[in-house]
C-alpha cells in the first residue's frame, strides 16, 4: 500500500465535505434576495456609507480584536508549555516568563487606550 494513501483519502474526504456543504446550502438555502441580504456587513457598521459620511471610525472594534489576539496567542503558547512544564525545567520557566512579559506590553497599551472599559 502506498504510504500517501491515507493522506489522499483525507484530502478527498475534506473536498467532498466542502463541496457537499456548498451544494446543500445552494439547494436547501433561501432563494429570496433583497438589497439588505446582498449587501456587505462588517463589524456593525453599514458599509454603504463612506468614512466622510460616518465621521471617524470607532477604534473600539480594533481594540476588541487586539484583545482577542493577545489572549488567543497567550493561550496557544501557554497550554503546550503547561503540559510539558516538568520536562522543560528552569529554562522553560525563564522563557515563559519572558514571553508573558512581552505579551503584557500590548495588553497594557490597550488598557491605557480604554479597550477594557465598556460604555
Amino acid at each position: 500500500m502506498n504510504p500517501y494513501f491515507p493522506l489522499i483519502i483525507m484530502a478527498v474526504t475534506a473536498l467532498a465535505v466542502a463541496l457537499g456543504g456548498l451544494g446543500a446550502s445552494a439547494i436547501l438555502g433561501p432563494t429570496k434576495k433583497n438589497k439588505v441580504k446582498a449587501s456587505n456587513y462588517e463589524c456593525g457598521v453599514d458599509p454603504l456609507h463612506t468614512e466622510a459620511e460616518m465621521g471617524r471610525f470607532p477604534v473600539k472594534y480594533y481594540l476588541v480584536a487586539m484583545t482577542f489576539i493577545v489572549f488567543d496567542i497567550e493561550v496557544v503558547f501557554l497550554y503546550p508549555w503547561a503540559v510539558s512544564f516538568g520536562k522543560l525545567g528552569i529554562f522553560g520557566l525563564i522563557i515563559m516568563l519572558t514571553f508573558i512579559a512581552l505579551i503584557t506590553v500590548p495588553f497594557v497599551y490597550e488598557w491605557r487606550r480604554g479597550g477594557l472599559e465598556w460604555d
Side-chain angles (χ1 to χ4, degrees):
M1 182 160 76
N2 189 348
Y4 292 108
F5 186 69
L7 185 63
I8 292 170
I9 294 294
M10 185 183 75
V12 168
T13 303
L15 185 64
V17 168
L19 292 176
L22 287 172
S25 69
I27 293 169
L28 301 174
T31 57
K32 294 181 181 178
K33 300 204 181 221
N34 59 28
K35 184 179 179 182
V36 175
K37 286 184 181 180
S39 70
N40 294 328
Y41 179 80
E42 182 178 355
C43 69
V45 177
D46 188 9
L48 300 175
H49 299 292
T50 63
E51 186 176 330
E53 293 171 352
M54 290 186 337
R56 288 190 72 178
F57 192 83
V59 75
K60 186 69 111 177
Y61 172 74
Y62 298 109
L63 292 177
V64 170
M66 193 165 71
T67 301
F68 172 75
I69 290 171
V70 167
F71 288 122
D72 190 41
I73 290 173
E74 188 175 6
V75 168
V76 164
F77 285 109
L78 280 177
Y79 182 74
W81 172 78
V83 170
S84 61
F85 177 70
K87 298 175 188 172
L88 296 175
I90 193 72
F91 176 73
L93 179 65
I94 292 170
I95 293 299
M96 191 49 64
L97 289 176
T98 304
F99 171 73
I100 290 173
L102 289 174
I103 206 82
T104 303
V105 172
F107 178 70
V108 170
Y109 170 75
E110 182 181 0
W111 190 355
R112 288 181 161 249
R113 293 280 302 197
L116 302 176
E117 298 171 7
W118 299 100
D119 296 332

